[in-house]
Amino acid sequence: MKRSIWVRTALGMLLFACRAFACLGIVGVLLWCAVRALFDWSGPQPADAAGFDLYVDVALAWAVGMAVAGLVGPTVRPGRGKANSLVWLVWCDLGMLLAFLWPLQALIVAFRFAVTARGRARWQRGGAVLAGSALLATGATWGLACYQAGQRWAPPDPSDQALVGTWSGAGGRVLELLPDGRYRTNFIGEAPYRISETRPPVYLSGHWTRTGTAGHGQEQSIVLNGSETMDVYGASSPSMLCEPEEQDPCYLSMQRR
């Protein structure tokens, strides 16, 4: 009898802890969303990396959904008992904690539905598995591609020609990298950058070089007149130039036109 009381007490405490964790998770996600809406911490991003923010938004929504499912599930099915309710809450809390892997979780949920929903038609269970597989493939590809696009450009065989073109930034900044190793720009490369007050703008010229050796994983940068360094970002091709300053990896940025 005493052992049974201790077991029920322990289960009750674990259930309370799991419910509290789910509630704190919901509050934490809502606070994080509010902070993201008020403050821009992401800084400049390559155009092809913008989708990563949407991937994160889906992960946050998934986290809230898993937390709500953990809280509501035992109430909707009250006959499960404390032990089963605890297992359900633990899995939902784990899903909330690992919400960043929501494509994989979607596949797991689809397989669980196909295995446990024996009263459903075969086509419904098969459709759930196909939908979960599609979400896994699409979501994983989407997240990985957008994440890689926001990293430094590090091709196995870098080429100066890939950087040639016109780049533009905030305040009307323009930087033209020419194929003969020269550049033209309308800003003065001293921190902080000062836009020329002359109208039309006076274009400064100089020479640029690419730094970084060949080989996978070698991050590439460009140097203007041997002094001003700008890091190159992009997955398959360069899409943004960033000048780092102190702790800010992208103090000033320029996008390819």
Side-chain angles (χ1 to χ4, degrees):
M1 180 65 67
K2 291 183 178 180
R3 184 179 179 182
S4 179
I5 293 175
W6 283 109
V7 170
R8 289 200 299 270
T9 302
L11 286 175
M13 293 177 64
L14 289 173
L15 280 170
F16 175 80
C18 289
R19 291 191 183 106
F21 184 78
C23 292
L24 289 174
I26 295 174
V27 173
V29 169
L30 294 178
L31 287 176
W32 174 252
C33 291
V35 170
R36 286 180 63 194
L38 294 175
F39 305 99
D40 182 14
W41 288 346
S42 61
Q45 294 186 37
D48 48 355
F52 188 70
D53 287 341
L54 182 57
Y55 179 90
V56 174
D57 291 338
V58 174
L60 294 175
W62 183 275
V64 172
M66 293 299 291
V68 171
L71 295 171
V72 175
T75 305
V76 175
R77 302 177 64 181
R80 297 173 62 88
K82 284 187 176 182
N84 289 332
S85 297
L86 177 61
V87 172
W88 172 261
L89 270 167
V90 167
W91 278 111
C92 289
D93 285 352
L94 185 62
M96 178 189 67
L97 191 62
L98 302 177
F100 199 76
L101 302 177
W102 61 264
L104 177 60
Q105 293 189 47
L107 179 63
I108 294 173
V109 170
F111 265 105
R112 186 179 186 280
F113 172 82
V115 172
T116 58
R118 297 178 180 177
R120 301 284 184 175
R122 182 176 299 178
W123 69 269
Q124 291 178 321
R125 291 182 288 169
V129 174
L130 288 176
S133 301
L135 281 174
L136 173 63
T138 304
T141 302
W142 169 27
L144 183 61
C146 292
Y147 173 78
Q148 289 180 340
Q151 307 306 303
R152 294 278 299 276
W153 184 52
D157 186 19
S159 170
D160 292 354
Q161 190 63 34
L163 297 164
V164 171
T166 303
W167 304 79
S168 60
R173 296 180 177 87
V174 176
L175 173 65
E176 296 179 52
L177 298 180
L178 305 176
D180 60 358
R182 294 184 300 110
Y183 74 85
R184 297 197 325 143
T185 184
N186 66 342
F187 65 83
I188 300 175
E190 296 179 0
Y193 285 148
R194 300 189 298 273
I195 300 298
S196 173
E197 297 294 335
T198 307
R199 294 294 184 270
V202 175
Y203 280 85
L204 308 175
S205 61
H207 290 83
W208 69 276
T209 56
R210 177 184 55 82
T211 64
T213 58
H216 183 70
Q218 296 295 321
E219 298 175 342
Q220 305 296 310
S221 301
I222 65 169
V223 180
L224 306 179
N225 276 353
S227 59
E228 297 294 331
T229 299
M230 302 192 77
D231 297 331
V232 185
Y233 284 76
S236 57
S237 63
S239 58
M240 184 173 70
L241 302 178
C242 276
E243 188 205 11
E245 181 175 294
E246 295 180 356
Q247 300 301 318
D248 190 347
C250 209
Y251 172 66
L252 290 174
S253 66
M254 307 194 79
Q255 306 273 354
R256 186 188 288 278
R257 278 188 174 180

